[in-house]
Amino acid sequence: MGLPAITSKTTSADIATLAGTLTTTTTQLSTLRINYQKQDNDKNKLPRGVWALPNKDTTVYGTDLTTKIMIASSQVREYDAEEKTYVGETIFYNNVYDLKAEDDQGGYRCGKLTYKQTQELSKGEQAEQRAKKYYRVVFGIATLKGKDVNGNKAIAENIPFIMRLRGNSLDPINDYIASFKSTGGNIFDYVTNWTITEGEGGNVDYWIASPERGEEAPMLKSPNEVETFKALLQWKEDHNEDIMAKWRKKRGLRVSNASDEATEIAAVVIDAPFDDPVEDVIA
């Protein structure tokens, strides 16, 4: 299925509908996340509670993050703690209340139940449910100033990304997305600034990501951003087609032919001078 063309006559409202902000195999899309790891695979010490953003052959760690959020979606994934890997995931879906989001195991939402439904389960069944996580997913471009794993000043600039937020970071991102409906404007026409705060209480360390509206920067005025937006939409569609093919196969249904070509997403070119001093990364 092809994507609708975005032309000079395309309005911000049209883009908002495509982006999911009003109501396969792919490449070149970095995962933006808060780092919880104490060290990498080479035993290098890593800063925790800061942003981590892969950039080609290195990863930048830091707190000075700005993004341009272009697409908002939802997803459920199931994690196997023993194998330390994800064993199931759904399509990306726009309606956060959708209970029929197909997954790659032939079911819906990886079997994740509503909170009310889990209250009727045994303790063992509730533990199984905790492995099924709901995420608010955003796509866009990001610039992160910080340091690399060796402590050298580094920057990941205008990197196309996917970010999955859950737990205590859900309310801030949901409120932020909803704020554009109440105050006007489109999320993709503004820079988003981010802060990280350490959570309080509990037996484990955790951090909360909070977005804040920055300066206005209309996406339709940047041809590079529009092209990146279209590529991100295609990446999302490729993922969903792949999940749906697995869903149909598990159910013994006809599997449609999906494209074997990977979607290449090139970074956009926007002025982002690295003039400010880099803060020390949290150890």
Side-chain angles (χ1 to χ4, degrees):
M1 181 185 298
L3 292 170
I6 297 177
T7 69
S8 60
K9 295 182 179 180
T10 302
T11 67
S12 291
D14 295 330
I15 293 178
T17 301
L18 289 171
T21 53
L22 280 187
T23 36
T24 275
T25 303
T26 53
T27 60
Q28 303 299 317
L29 189 57
S30 295
T31 296
L32 175 62
R33 60 184 174 83
I34 296 177
N35 182 55
Y36 278 76
Q37 296 176 299
K38 294 181 178 180
Q39 59 183 22
D40 62 15
N41 293 334
D42 296 321
K43 307 299 182 182
N44 295 307
K45 186 178 180 180
L46 298 177
R48 302 176 74 225
V50 301
W51 296 107
L53 180 61
N55 182 23
K56 297 181 180 178
D57 57 350
T58 189
T59 297
V60 177
Y61 300 89
T63 58
D64 188 354
L65 173 70
T66 58
T67 66
K68 196 73 172 295
I69 296 175
M70 296 178 173
I71 303 170
S73 194
S74 294
Q75 188 183 38
V76 174
R77 305 176 94 194
E78 183 174 3
Y79 187 75
D80 187 321
E82 291 186 2
E83 297 295 328
K84 296 183 179 180
T85 187
Y86 289 96
V87 294
E89 62 180 344
T90 69
I91 59 171
F92 296 116
Y93 56 99
N94 291 340
N95 183 353
V96 297
Y97 302 107
D98 189 354
L99 300 181
K100 289 289 187 178
E102 295 89 345
D103 62 49
D104 56 3
Q105 302 303 308
Y108 301 98
R109 284 169 50 92
C110 298
K112 182 173 179 60
L113 303 177
T114 64
Y115 176 79
K116 184 177 181 180
Q117 290 171 326
T118 61
Q119 300 311 295
E120 303 173 359
L121 301 178
S122 66
K123 290 185 177 180
E125 291 172 326
Q126 288 179 348
E128 292 178 357
Q129 281 292 308
R130 285 193 288 273
K132 308 171 193 293
K133 306 291 187 182
Y134 167 81
Y135 296 88
R136 196 68 160 114
V137 185
V138 294
F139 302 79
I141 53 174
T143 293
L144 177 63
K145 301 174 184 178
K147 296 181 179 180
D148 62 19
V149 69
N150 297 313
N152 300 315
K153 188 169 72 171
I155 182 171
E157 186 175 8
N158 299 318
I159 305 300
F161 74 89
I162 178 174
M163 177 164 58
R164 295 178 173 91
L165 297 160
R166 66 178 181 87
N168 290 285
S169 293
L170 278 178
D171 282 348
I173 185 62
N174 286 336
D175 291 345
Y176 179 64
I177 292 172
S179 71
F180 286 88
K181 184 176 181 180
S182 59
T183 63
N186 294 298
I187 196 170
F188 47 76
D189 286 330
Y190 289 84
V191 172
T192 299
N193 302 314
W194 293 84
T195 57
I196 295 177
T197 55
E198 187 170 3
E200 298 180 357
N203 299 320
V204 296
D205 296 332
Y206 68 95
W207 290 269
I208 303 168
S210 298
E212 183 179 72
R213 190 183 305 201
E215 64 181 357
E216 186 175 8
M219 185 172 71
L220 284 177
K221 291 186 177 181
S222 171
N224 287 322
E225 284 192 11
V226 171
E227 288 304 310
T228 300
F229 169 73
K230 291 194 291 185
L232 288 169
L233 277 177
Q234 188 62 60
W235 193 98
K236 177 172 174 273
E237 184 174 89
D238 289 346
H239 168 89
N240 284 357
E241 287 182 353
D242 182 58
I243 297 296
M244 287 305 301
K246 294 175 181 176
W247 184 85
R248 295 186 188 98
K249 185 176 181 179
K250 289 283 186 178
R251 290 186 164 237
L253 303 175
R254 180 176 178 272
V255 178
S256 61
N257 293 326
S259 173
D260 292 329
E261 295 184 2
T263 299
E264 297 288 341
I265 306 178
V268 300
V269 179
I270 304 173
D271 285 340
F274 199 177
D275 295 330
D276 298 329
V278 179
E279 297 180 5
D280 289 336
V281 178
I282 301 171

